Amino acid sequence: MDSRIIEALAGAEGNFALATVLSVQGSAPRHPGTKLLARGPADFIGTVGGGKGELLALEEAGRRLSSGGASLIEVEMLGSVATGPALICGGLCRILVERPEPSQAPAYAEAARLLASGRRALLVKRLSPRGEGCAVELSVLSEDGKAVFGSLSGIDPRAAEAVLGKGSARFSEKDLVFYDPLFPREKLLVLGGGHVGRALAAAALPLGFEVSVADDREGFPLPGQLPPEARPLPGPFAKTIAAFPFDPATYVVILTHGHLSDLDCLRAVLPREYRYAGMIGSARKTRVLLDAAKAEGFDPARVDAVCAPLGLDVDAETPAEIAVAALCEMVAFRRNSGILPRLAAEREARRNP
């Protein structure tokens, strides 16, 4: 979600109408949870897909701005030919359009607070028919399933947990409850600005990561060495790690220019908070470094959880291939994929043949 939307809703400044895609049947240009926040027909941020659907959402937003309340609209996209103005996605999109009440601003402020701390938040909207529209009851849940705003009444805890873990919004047609996960901006710290580190930085940016690349070698970075969106962090690795704002939305990858430097980084990273930690190297090298960390007193379970060797085992060889393999693994962590136990077992088998 566009961070400006949650910030505007949390600030409760101005008159807004919020359009949210609740569900999609068939093919549609946007997925559930997509949002648009409008002050008027030409003054909005976000998108619910453009074209016919967005036009109808903006028209309904104008009505909500005038009269308040909330309503559901359905957009059919059932064209069958590739010429002419008809849309041919072949789907049905249901959109909630509402004018948030000032009393809901604290709910969005709580969600913004969780996101700022690197934690996920869950908006739960319970709908009930009211005249030609509907009423919206809003709750906000933290990652541990606790309500930080509103109540837990009518909320399916299993559905809430699944939605927060996967990051995919879900609408219960039966209960008229919409589960809307919000993810914080995820940070990727690449420890090592060599060939693989640079390839990883470039490949991670389109996935929405806020990328920083650290290296302790003199002259780093050379002009044009990193994508302009990536933040260079020159200087000693230990100092960089100590200063970096680790949180539950942090991903860190260790791929420095030597195994002793890798071990130093591992020592500095293990006590910090993160969602994913990976380290490059052969099965033998990574086993030696992990065993050294355990011998120094680090929690064995935490050490064993480091993804080392990092990445999916797809026989990647080039820096670009290794970057893709690593990012696939990170996406699995982002989405709490069902393949994570299998990946952990395969890693353990590689480290201890």
Side-chain angles (χ1 to χ4, degrees), residues 6 13 63 74 114 151 155 179 186 257 286:
I6 191 71
E13 296 178 358
R63 287 187 280 271
E74 291 187 345
L114 289 171
S151 74
I155 297 175
Y179 300 88
E186 294 170 312
H257 46 78
T286 54

Side-chain angles (χ1 to χ4, degrees), residues 286-299:
T286 54
R287 183 177 69 251
V288 168
L289 297 188
L290 296 179
D291 286 346
K294 292 178 188 177
E296 293 176 11
F298 288 99
D299 180 2

Side-chain angles (χ1 to χ4, degrees), residues 235-243 264-265 268:
F237 287 115
K239 183 177 180 181
T240 296
I241 294 168
D264 286 340
C265 287

Side-chain angles (χ1 to χ4, degrees), residues 187 189 191 212 214 231 233-247 250 268-269 272:
K187 301 185 292 290
L189 175 59
L191 296 170
S212 300
R231 180 169 63 126
L233 297 175
F237 287 115
K239 183 177 180 181
T240 296
I241 294 168
F244 194 82
F246 281 76
D247 61 31
T250 298
V269 165
R272 305 302 299 274

Side-chain angles (χ1 to χ4, degrees), residues 20-342:
T20 307
V21 176
L22 295 188
S23 62
V24 171
Q25 296 175 358
S27 177
R30 302 294 285 174
H31 55 77
T34 302
K35 297 175 180 61
L36 177 151
L37 191 67
R39 291 188 180 92
D43 183 7
F44 60 91
I45 53 178
T47 177
V48 289
K52 175 184 176 182
E54 191 143 290
L55 178 61
L56 292 175
L58 286 169
E59 290 176 351
E60 184 62 23
R63 287 187 280 271
R64 294 302 117 207
L65 287 170
S66 299
S67 62
S71 58
L72 290 173
I73 63 173
E74 291 187 345
V75 182
E76 293 186 39
M77 292 169 282
L78 303 175
S80 59
V81 296
T83 59
L87 297 173
I88 59 171
C89 289
L92 180 67
C93 183
R94 179 174 289 183
I95 301 173
L96 170 67
V97 185
E98 58 184 313
R99 190 179 73 183
E101 298 295 330
S103 60
Q104 293 178 337
Y108 291 107
E110 284 294 332
R113 179 185 62 79
L114 289 171
L115 297 178
S117 69
R119 286 162 173 80
R120 300 176 179 187
L122 180 65
L123 301 180
V124 181
K125 295 186 176 181
R126 285 153 290 192
L127 313 182
S128 54
R130 178 176 293 177
E132 296 182 356
C134 63
V136 179
E137 183 182 354
L138 176 63
S139 293
V140 179
L141 275 62
S142 57
E143 282 191 79
D144 58 6
K146 295 181 180 179
V148 296
F149 182 91
S151 74
L152 294 174
S153 175
I155 297 175
D156 182 343
R158 289 178 297 181
E161 181 181 6
V163 167
L164 263 175
K166 294 291 185 183
S168 300
R170 179 188 302 176
F171 181 54
S172 171
E173 297 276 355
K174 176 184 176 182
D175 302 318
L176 295 181
V177 179
F178 182 56
Y179 300 88
D180 188 7
L182 305 179
F183 276 23
R185 183 68 187 271
E186 294 170 312
K187 301 185 292 290
L188 171 60
L189 175 59
V190 181
L191 296 170
H195 294 294
V196 175
R198 297 197 298 271
L200 182 59
L205 288 166
L207 274 65
F209 287 102
E210 184 179 90
V211 178
S212 300
V213 183
D215 204 291
D216 63 353
R217 287 173 287 193
E218 187 176 351
F220 172 82
L222 297 174
Q225 199 171 36
L226 296 177
E229 302 90 345
R231 180 169 63 126
L233 297 175
F237 287 115
K239 183 177 180 181
T240 296
I241 294 168
F244 194 82
F246 281 76
D247 61 31
T250 298
Y251 296 66
V252 56
V253 175
I254 301 171
L255 29 78
T256 75
H257 46 78
H259 69 278
L260 292 179
S261 185
D262 284 347
L263 181 56
D264 286 340
C265 287
L266 181 64
R267 293 182 180 117
V269 165
L270 281 170
R272 305 302 299 274
E273 191 174 27
Y274 49 79
R275 182 168 292 273
Y276 170 91
M279 183 167 60
I280 200 170
S282 66
R284 179 181 180 278
K285 169 201 161 180
T286 54
R287 183 177 69 251
V288 168
L289 297 188
L290 296 179
D291 286 346
K294 292 178 188 177
E296 293 176 11
F298 288 99
D299 180 2
R302 190 163 177 81
V303 173
D304 285 337
V306 174
C307 296
L310 65 78
L312 269 61
D313 186 11
V314 292
D315 296 325
E317 291 190 8
T318 69
E321 290 176 346
I322 295 170
V324 170
L327 284 169
C328 286
E329 187 171 64
M330 290 181 218
V331 169
F333 273 75
R334 170 188 280 179
R335 301 296 179 185
N336 282 320
S337 171
I339 71 168
L340 288 176
R342 177 167 63 84

